[in-house]
Amino acid sequence: MTEQNQSPLNADNNLSEGENQLFRLRLFVIGASPNSIRAITNLKNICEQHIKANYELEIIDVYQQPLIAEAEQIVALPLLIKKSPGIERKLIGDMSDTPKVLKGLGIYSES
């Protein structure tokens, strides 16, 4: 895989690369299941590559914190909820499809 020149932008607010906007993310997982571990690893890699230090990632194990999962009306796991910036968005899966995750976060990169 080759590294491309990537310019992160936020589609929700039309942010340019120089602006710092904090991404508040919640990832709901089930213990140490293979899908949960993949989702955590993939999401951390995406965040470090594309939004660097401009994010807060909260990982919530639904077995340990069922009330939070209930309040968020979780229907499938792993589930990522982007709280901010922009509108709230939900993504289901192991976060292995990087372009789809970036789109869900409101970020795209130029090739």
Side-chain angles (χ1 to χ4, degrees):
M1 181 175 231
T2 60
E3 187 174 326
Q4 298 176 343
N5 181 16
Q6 299 171 339
S7 173
L9 296 174
N10 181 295
D12 297 329
N13 294 335
N14 295 326
L15 293 179
S16 65
E17 185 174 1
E19 295 181 65
N20 292 332
Q21 186 94 14
L22 184 66
F23 283 78
R24 290 184 43 241
L25 309 172
R26 282 184 144 183
L27 180 63
F28 291 85
V29 296
I30 301 175
S33 71
N35 272 348
S36 295
I37 292 169
R38 266 194 309 275
I40 293 166
T41 302
N42 290 336
L43 184 58
K44 284 183 176 180
N45 289 336
I46 290 168
C47 288
E48 286 302 314
Q49 273 190 322
H50 297 277
I51 54 180
K52 311 265 185 282
N54 296 326
Y55 71 95
E56 291 177 354
L57 175 59
E58 181 180 7
I59 298 171
I60 300 165
D61 184 336
V62 297
Y63 286 145
Q64 295 178 359
Q65 299 177 320
L67 296 178
I68 295 174
E70 186 179 321
E72 291 286 358
Q73 299 178 341
I74 303 303
V75 294
L77 295 167
L79 173 77
L80 173 66
I81 300 177
K82 180 193 81 154
K83 292 293 195 176
S84 68
I87 59 171
E88 183 175 288
R89 293 188 179 178
K90 296 181 179 183
L91 296 107
I92 298 170
D94 67 4
M95 309 300 138
S96 60
D97 187 344
T98 300
K100 198 174 273 188
V101 174
L102 291 174
K103 183 177 179 182
L105 292 174
I107 299 171
Y108 71 93
S109 57
E110 297 173 358
S111 300

